[in-house]
Amino acid sequence: MRFTVTGTVQGVGFRPTVYRLATELGLKGTVRNNGANVVIDVDADAGFMDLLETRLPALAHIESCDIEDIPISKGLNGFSIIESDDGGHGIGIPTDTAICPSCLAEMRGNGRRAGYAFTTCTECGARFTLMESMPYDRQRTSMGDYPMCEHCSKEYSDPTDRRFHHQTVCCPHCGPSYRLVDSDGNPMDGDPIRRFAELLDMGKIGVAKSWGGMHICATIDRIQELRDWYGRKQKPFAIMAKDADTIMKYSDPTDEEMEQILSPHRPIVLVRKKDTMPEASSPGLDTVGMFLPYSGMQYLLFDYLKSDAAVMTSANVPGEPMILNDEGIFELNADMYLLHNQRIVNRADDSVMKLYGKNTYFLRKSRGHIPSYLDLGLKGDAVAVGPQENLTASVATNGRIFTTQHIGNGESFGVVDYLKDATDSLIKMTGCEPQIVAMDLHPGYANRKYAKSLAERTCSKTIEVQHHWAHCASLMVDSEHDEMVCLTLDGTGHGDDGNAWGGEVMFADLNKYDRLAHLQYIPLLGGDKALYDIRRLKFAIDSINGSETPYVDDRTADVFSKMMSRSVRTSSFGRLLDALAYSLDVCTERTYDGEPAMKMEPLLRKGKVIEGFDTEIVNGEIRTAHLFTAIDGLKKEDVAISVVDSVISKMVETACDSASKKGIREIGITGGVSYSIPISDIFRRHVELLGFTPIFHNRVPNGDGGISVGQSAIALNVIQ
């Protein structure tokens, strides 16, 4: 009998489990990796699979099993694991998974792996970040650089050992190792990890190489010094805590948030911070990103550190991809560098999420959650390269959409090269043969050149997809809908009328979209300069209202006034929040993406809706400028929620009217603004008041990181 099994069945101890069960039952046959799946040839009936499913390793998951009545080869004596077939496609391995309790105990014990940071087994460790191709075998990972020693070979060959056929088995005698160097690259004495911890406790700033990339590190009491050194004035830092008790010391997670923090995926989770957490960790915010160690090095580091928490933020020149090569890291000018000699094949930043009820909002879907896929059911092969910021690409094949790890912002140096490498790698692993390549409608996006070259190389069609249509489609794929009326709320997306959209009510399916209403157009004085110098947005709104502008001098006011009629206009909800944050003195300059909106969240949580902020729709525009004329002398928090509530209420009313006419009873919300929990709450309340069901993201990022999913679905629909 032949069983062809697909699912998470490579790199998780699945074949050793099959071997043990077959041997225990006295069966003859073989098991092998076959690219995307595992093939079991055994002299047994279908009941063998039923029994196997009761014995699955913790990380294994059987998605499907094809059964064929094929006799096993003659002459077999017993059962064996045989060499994998070359090639093969599909992603059937798990993501990188935090070191398990057994390996942690071994690493902290007295055996031959005592203090060895690369200790892993079939139930844990780096996988995707080390993988070069399928099927998942040692020679196709960066561990192929390290032949097993006699002791590791014995473990690998012993069916009773938990490292039986563990592809990345190693020890201090045969595996990779850490070294510590100073700012000039000179070796430093002592145990590398212990000495690194000592220097951090002394107030030094270091860089540590782990799975998928490197982190800039500093103890929690040195955050302000880190900001001054790194030039990051306001952007939040992720904080790694020693253990769960330390998480509770500095923050107040819900049970659901704590479950995610403790999960083997080890994401950064945004949780409410306590007064014990330094304000400098996330200035102006009431949340902080917390996570736990996941690699052996990180656990050892906290075993040696006196501090119980430390900043662990991606090591990169601001705006550029995380640095992988040891040679390139020295441009950061840190005090010391904890480096290892294991090649990182696939760069992967830490995943970042916040929870909204039962829904997971991925701000960044990467390490621990990639590779993953979504079922779509449309035939054909497509590639989508995403927008400009928070880039991911998606590859669609065999009715599934696979998305790359987080890439970065397309205008930054090296990001498009990273996008190309990650996308080409995913195309190879999935066996995708592109028939169509999708890109954003904006003519100036840097990744369009790669999209066109990929289409030329593969003789594919190309398609331009409007930004907010792609947002809608991403939510449709996420929530398994064929059509949707949706609020698309974000910072900027190129509209088909040449303006910058971002506050839209849309009806969409995979064939088309209909823009039902949008926020009032506001001039972006100076174009992109208004995204950072947000007083320009306030000036434009005040000019529309005929209000005074005492925050600019006469000369500046004259320059800005001349820009009013010449500047591109925006309907962006994100820009509305920027102007409101400036007006309420919550944020006067945007130093990182989404900063004003994020700093509005604490106000929105505290405010109560008051009268005097009604709005209306005029010729498809939801009026917003006049709302700024009634804010003086009122509580900031009440103004904040009253303005937002008024606008969301009118958008929801429009959406529900349209949905009702179409026989639709659900209303979606997508785009970067929907990451705001207070805004999600306001949206939910108004939708439910009108008798409809709100739809939120759960598996696909709300923001631009999900755009490529929507693009790929729309592209696939074109070739049906």
Side-chain angles (χ1 to χ4, degrees), residues 2 19 54 62 70 79 105 110 155 171 196-197 249 272 299 352 381 407 426 460 485 502 584 594 598 602 626 650 714:
R2 171 168 291 178
Y19 174 91
T54 68
I62 295 176
I70 298 175
F79 195 88
N110 298 312
E155 291 173 323
C171 72
F196 188 74
K249 172 182 174 182
R272 298 293 289 274
Y299 273 101
V352 184
D381 287 14
I407 303 296
L426 193 56
S460 305
V485 177
L584 298 176
M598 290 170 65
H626 72 284
K650 190 58 67 174
I714 290 166

Side-chain angles (χ1 to χ4, degrees), residues 213-253:
M214 307 193 197
H215 289 107
I216 294 172
C217 313
T219 54
I220 198 170
D221 59 329
R222 300 288 179 170
I223 295 178
Q224 190 54 56
E225 289 94 324
L226 176 60
R227 289 198 179 281
D228 295 339
W229 169 81
Y230 196 35
R232 181 184 285 186
K233 299 178 184 178
Q234 296 284 312
K235 190 175 182 179
F237 283 126
I239 307 296
M240 182 175 283
K242 179 178 183 178
D243 51 30
D245 288 342
T246 307
I247 294 283
M248 301 301 294
K249 172 182 174 182
Y250 292 110
S251 65
D252 188 22

Side-chain angles (χ1 to χ4, degrees), residues 118 319 386 388 447 471-472 679:
F118 297 89
Q388 179 88 328
N447 55 359
H471 268 309
C472 289
I679 289 177

